[in-house]
């Protein structure tokens, strides 16, 4: 198995030393460098081209979140696992496409699992290239999502509806509910052939519509596999009825 080249970024020498010791017992990793701040880390990334960056968030100068955003904009960015003492940055951290979010003191087994996730996500680069080509014409088959377990890849085929909720979108799928850090407009633009808008705050999967049901003076769309029945707006109701007549 090819080893992951790891860069450790933390302003605390003891924290860097602890991570270095833990990585030494994970066969799939080799530490190629360390940095005490984001400026030095960026230079190390450019010089060493690591596969994985273990990144603290609060450091002198620019934060780890700012560095992660810069890294995610690169053509071939390294994977990022945040290692921090603060739990309040989880959502903005995953918005940078981080693979993991670990709280200090870092547990070896949790670190091992996060590293394994990096390997699964980055393993065959050729497959990723093939997926990217497919996405250009058909849209993604999986969407990156945030949960208490960290970042996950949610299969689009399992999603039955997408509901706007404050700043986020909640995907209702066969295994429950998951927060997506993408707008409903962006999702509709990409998946417009598979999801139809029934309300300004709701998209439903066309292939899994069962029918309409009355709810007082309103209508709701019933979907196969999930209890959620999104409300249909009065403006959208005629087109939704026509669609259901066509497919049901």
């Amino acid at each position: 198995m090819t080893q992951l080249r790891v860069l450790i970024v933390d302003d605390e020498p003891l924290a860097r030393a602890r991570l270095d010791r833990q990585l030494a017992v994970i066969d799939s990793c080799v530490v190629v460098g360390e940095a005490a701040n984001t400026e030095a880390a960026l230079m190390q990334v450019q010089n060493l081209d690591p596969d994985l960056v273990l990144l603290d968030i609060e450091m002198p100068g620019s934060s780890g979140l700012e560095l992660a955003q810069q890294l995610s904009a690169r053509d071939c960015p390294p994977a990022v696992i945040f290692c921090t003492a603060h739990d309040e940055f989880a959502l903005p951290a995953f918005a940078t496409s981080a693979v993991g979010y670990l709280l200090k003191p870092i547990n070896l087994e949790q670190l091992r699992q996060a590293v394994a996730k990096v390997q699964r996500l980055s393993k065959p680069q050729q497959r990723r290239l093939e997926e990217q080509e497919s996405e250009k014409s058909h849209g993604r088959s999986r969407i990156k999502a945030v949960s208490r377990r960290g970042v996950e890849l949610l299969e689009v085929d399992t999603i039955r509806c997408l509901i706007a909720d404050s700043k986020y979108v909640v995907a209702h799928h066969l295994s429950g509910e998951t927060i997506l850090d993408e707008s409903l407009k962006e999702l509709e633009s990409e998946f417009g052939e598979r999801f139809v808008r029934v309300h300004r705050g709701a998209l439903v999967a066309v292939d899994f519509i069962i029918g309409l049901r009355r709810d007082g003076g309103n209508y709701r769309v019933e979907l196969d596999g999930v209890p959620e029945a999104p409300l249909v707006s009065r403006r959208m109701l005629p087109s939704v009825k026509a669609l259901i007549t066509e497919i049901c």
Side-chain angles (χ1 to χ4, degrees):
M1 178 185 295
T2 302
Q3 287 185 306
L4 290 173
R5 295 164 49 81
V6 184
L7 173 66
I8 301 172
V9 183
D10 197 305
D11 63 314
E12 299 178 1
L14 291 178
R16 297 199 303 272
R18 177 183 175 87
L19 284 172
D20 187 71
R21 290 194 303 270
Q22 291 176 318
L23 290 169
V25 301
I26 301 178
D27 294 336
S28 57
C29 292
V30 57
V31 176
V32 295
E34 297 182 4
N37 56 63
T38 58
E39 290 76 13
L42 190 57
M43 293 183 61
Q44 291 279 51
V45 169
Q46 293 170 342
N47 294 331
L48 300 173
D49 191 25
D51 302 306
L52 169 63
V53 177
L54 300 185
L55 181 56
D56 190 16
I57 290 183
E58 290 201 323
M59 293 180 289
S62 301
S63 72
L65 290 173
E66 292 174 284
L67 175 61
Q69 289 170 347
Q70 293 181 60
L71 294 180
S72 67
R74 295 170 65 93
D75 289 337
C76 189
V80 171
I81 296 175
F82 283 101
C83 300
T84 177
H86 306 277
D87 61 2
E88 66 268 26
F89 298 114
L91 281 176
F94 284 121
T96 69
S97 300
V99 174
Y101 192 94
L102 303 178
L103 292 177
K104 296 178 180 178
I106 305 302
N107 175 277
L108 176 58
E109 187 54 36
Q110 291 179 336
L111 179 60
R112 194 190 302 274
Q113 292 174 6
V115 167
K117 184 180 292 186
V118 172
Q119 290 179 302
R120 289 195 298 272
L121 293 178
S122 65
K123 191 177 177 181
Q125 294 185 356
Q126 184 58 41
R127 184 184 304 170
R128 180 57 188 147
L129 289 174
E130 292 173 357
E131 288 180 354
Q132 288 175 337
E133 289 302 315
S134 175
E135 287 167 7
K136 289 178 183 178
S137 55
H138 303 103
R140 290 168 291 172
S141 62
R142 296 177 295 176
I143 298 177
K144 195 166 291 185
V146 176
S147 76
R148 291 187 177 182
R149 294 185 295 274
V151 66
E152 298 180 350
L153 292 175
L154 180 62
E155 297 289 340
V156 176
D157 287 343
T158 70
I159 300 174
R160 298 300 185 258
C161 62
L162 298 160
I163 308 296
D165 182 10
S166 186
K167 295 187 296 182
Y168 304 101
V169 170
V170 179
H172 295 260
H173 51 87
L174 297 181
S175 299
E177 302 174 9
T178 305
I179 294 174
L180 306 181
D181 192 25
E182 299 181 52
S183 73
L184 210 60
K185 184 176 180 180
E186 291 170 335
L187 293 166
E188 182 181 26
S189 176
E190 182 174 356
F191 301 107
E193 294 184 0
R194 302 167 67 176
F195 290 82
V196 62
R197 187 178 287 271
V198 299
H199 190 279
R200 67 179 182 179
L203 299 173
V204 301
V206 175
D207 290 343
F208 301 100
I209 294 175
I210 298 175
L212 281 176
R213 66 173 168 84
R214 292 293 296 266
D215 181 13
N218 298 310
Y219 283 89
R220 292 184 178 273
V221 180
E222 293 189 314
L223 299 164
D224 182 36
V226 295
E228 185 72 15
L231 184 68
V232 181
S233 71
R234 294 185 184 278
R235 184 169 65 87
M236 301 289 187
L237 185 57
S239 61
V240 173
K241 283 183 174 181
L243 173 64
I244 292 177
T245 299
E246 180 182 338
I247 65 177
C248 294

